[in-house]
Amino acid sequence: MPWDKDALQTLTSTTSGSPVPGRAAGHSPYGPGVRQYACGEAWVVAADGEYDMGSITPLREALETAARQYRKVVLDASAVTFADSTFLNVLLQAHRTGTLRVVAPSPQVRRLCEITGVDSVLDIRRTVEEAAAS
């Protein structure tokens, strides 16, 4: 099957600037997604889908921008179906930049955090509301 240059551009383009509520630009409806919104004084980044070296850019950019602009950043990881060391690296970078709370990690993400010991470094909470309030 030949590559569709327009589709490839859509899949690989990135977002920049201030976070805007809703789905981040540059996503195929079949690829990973990033939604962002305010919850109290926290900025929530909700990720869904699979994240690896080839798909991490929109999530990385959303977390980097949010960490620079908001005192408290919450990552809703409940819909992440696959994550690797690239995903963990992005979380650790955001954690070092500001206050990051990870909410309801999917079983796959929770297991990855446990195996690597990242669960002892990151602040993991059950709900977005709990993470935003604390």
Side-chain angles (χ1 to χ4, degrees):
M1 176 163 106
W3 284 98
D4 179 344
K5 290 181 183 179
D6 293 331
L8 183 59
Q9 177 64 30
T10 300
L11 291 171
T12 58
S13 63
T14 60
T15 61
S16 62
S18 300
V20 176
R23 197 169 173 94
H27 290 287
S28 161
Y30 307 104
V34 177
R35 291 180 300 109
Q36 303 180 57
Y37 58 93
C39 181
E41 294 183 18
W43 189 254
V44 179
V45 176
D48 65 76
E50 299 181 359
Y51 290 94
D52 59 20
M53 183 187 263
S55 62
I56 198 71
T57 301
L59 179 59
R60 186 190 78 239
E61 289 178 351
L63 288 174
E64 285 175 355
T65 301
R68 286 191 309 266
Q69 294 181 357
Y70 296 91
R71 188 178 69 77
K72 203 181 309 182
V73 177
V74 175
L75 173 66
D76 181 346
S78 61
V80 174
T81 56
F82 174 81
D84 66 5
S85 61
T86 309
F87 178 85
L88 288 182
N89 186 44
V90 166
L91 298 188
L92 291 171
Q93 279 296 114
H95 173 71
R96 282 191 287 262
T97 304
T99 302
L100 175 69
R101 292 184 171 97
V102 179
V103 171
S106 65
Q108 196 276 334
V109 171
R110 182 172 294 282
R111 181 75 177 130
L112 181 63
C113 289
E114 289 171 355
I115 289 171
T116 59
V118 169
D119 62 335
S120 66
V121 175
L122 297 176
D123 187 356
I124 300 176
R125 304 295 177 99
R126 285 185 282 197
T127 68
V128 169
E129 294 75 19
E130 175 189 340
S134 60

